[in-house]
């Protein structure tokens, strides 16, 4: 399971001695071994009070609007006339995990942010089942915002978005 490292800064008298109280260090910055962390303490804090914690990445979110087409630059061929320009949600779990559940999916005008998405007043009720069909038990998946996948007939006055939150295990 992929983990990230968080560093917590404490100062007994003034928290302003710490520029941030939490520092996030992505796991991708670390090598398998031989990592060295250097801490510069300039304002009289106590480095012995620094705490380290691991955070497991268990969820992935995405939000894509239909008016922002996806283009795969690696396979783009100007002369073929078959350039992929369909808006697409790309989801991928950390190494050695897969999409185990769909926590939220809404095609329409969802609101909120990752971890707190909510359905708007325009919503395709088949959104979750479409995402489950394409993504469950895969380490990564692509969901195209097409007529075949979603009901684009409702809410004609505004571009629709697909918001997705999945659990990785």
């Amino acid at each position: 399971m992929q983990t990230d490292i968080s560093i917590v800064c404490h100062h007994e008298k003034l928290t302003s001695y710490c520029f941030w109280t939490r520092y996030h260090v992505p796991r991708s910055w670390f090598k398998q071994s031989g990592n060295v962390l250097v801490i510069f303490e300039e304002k009289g804090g106590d480095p012995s009070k620094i705490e380290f914690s691991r955070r497991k990445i268990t969820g992935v979110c995405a939000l894509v609007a239909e008016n922002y087409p996806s283009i795969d630059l690696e396979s783009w061929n100007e002369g073929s006339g078959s350039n992929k320009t369909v808006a697409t949600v790309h989801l991928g779990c950390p190494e050695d995990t897969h999409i185990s559940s769909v926590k939220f999916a809404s095609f329409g005008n969802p609101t909120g942010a990752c971890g707190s998405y909510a359905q708007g007043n325009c919503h395709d009720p088949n959104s979750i089942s479409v995402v489950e069909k394409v993504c469950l038990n895969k380490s990564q998946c692509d969901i195209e915002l097409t007529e075949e996948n979603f009901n684009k007939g409702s809410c004609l006055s505004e571009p629709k978005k697909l918001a997705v939150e999945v659990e990785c295990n």
Side-chain angles (χ1 to χ4, degrees), residues 37-57:
L37 177 64
V38 178
I39 300 170
F40 293 99
E41 179 53 63
E42 298 179 7
K43 296 202 175 201
D46 184 355
S48 68
K49 299 207 186 257
I50 293 174
E51 298 174 10
F52 293 89
S53 63
R54 289 183 156 189
R55 182 179 64 112
K56 291 182 180 179
I57 299 171

Side-chain angles (χ1 to χ4, degrees), residues 104 106 109-113 116-121 161 163:
F104 181 87
S106 177
N109 62 352
T111 60
S116 64
Y117 286 129
Q119 290 179 9
N121 57 9
K161 301 178 280 187

Side-chain angles (χ1 to χ4, degrees):
M1 174 77 51
Q2 184 174 356
T3 58
D4 290 349
I5 305 296
S6 295
I7 303 170
V8 181
C9 178
H10 293 286
H11 190 276
E12 291 174 8
K13 296 182 182 179
L14 297 171
T15 57
S16 63
Y17 280 123
C18 302
F19 184 71
W20 297 104
T21 57
R22 294 187 182 270
Y23 297 87
H24 174 77
V25 183
R27 184 70 176 163
S28 61
W29 292 8
F30 289 91
K31 298 181 280 184
Q32 288 287 57
S33 63
N35 296 290
V36 176
L37 177 64
V38 178
I39 300 170
F40 293 99
E41 179 53 63
E42 298 179 7
K43 296 202 175 201
D46 184 355
S48 68
K49 299 207 186 257
I50 293 174
E51 298 174 10
F52 293 89
S53 63
R54 289 183 156 189
R55 182 179 64 112
K56 291 182 180 179
I57 299 171
T58 59
V60 177
C61 294
L63 175 67
V64 172
E66 65 182 346
N67 58 348
Y68 291 104
S70 302
I71 298 174
D72 183 359
L73 294 177
E74 292 178 6
S75 63
W76 192 35
N77 182 354
E78 287 187 55
S80 74
S82 62
N83 299 330
K84 182 179 179 182
T85 58
V86 175
T88 305
V89 168
H90 306 281
L91 297 172
C93 288
E95 190 174 322
D96 297 326
T97 64
H98 65 276
I99 297 168
S100 57
S101 68
V102 178
K103 294 174 79 173
F104 181 87
S106 177
F107 179 75
N109 62 352
T111 60
C114 186
S116 64
Y117 286 129
Q119 290 179 9
N121 57 9
C122 172
H123 167 71
D124 181 345
N126 295 320
S127 301
I128 289 180
S129 62
V130 169
V131 174
E132 287 175 339
K133 181 179 177 184
V134 175
C135 297
L136 273 183
N137 300 314
K138 296 179 181 175
S139 62
Q140 59 185 7
C141 64
D142 298 330
I143 309 150
E144 294 183 340
L145 280 62
T146 61
E147 291 278 350
E148 293 80 26
N149 287 334
F150 300 100
N151 178 4
K152 292 187 162 195
S154 60
C155 310
L156 296 175
S157 63
E158 60 184 87
K160 285 162 276 316
K161 301 178 280 187
L162 175 61
V164 178
E165 181 178 1
V166 297
E167 182 87 19
C168 298
N169 286 312

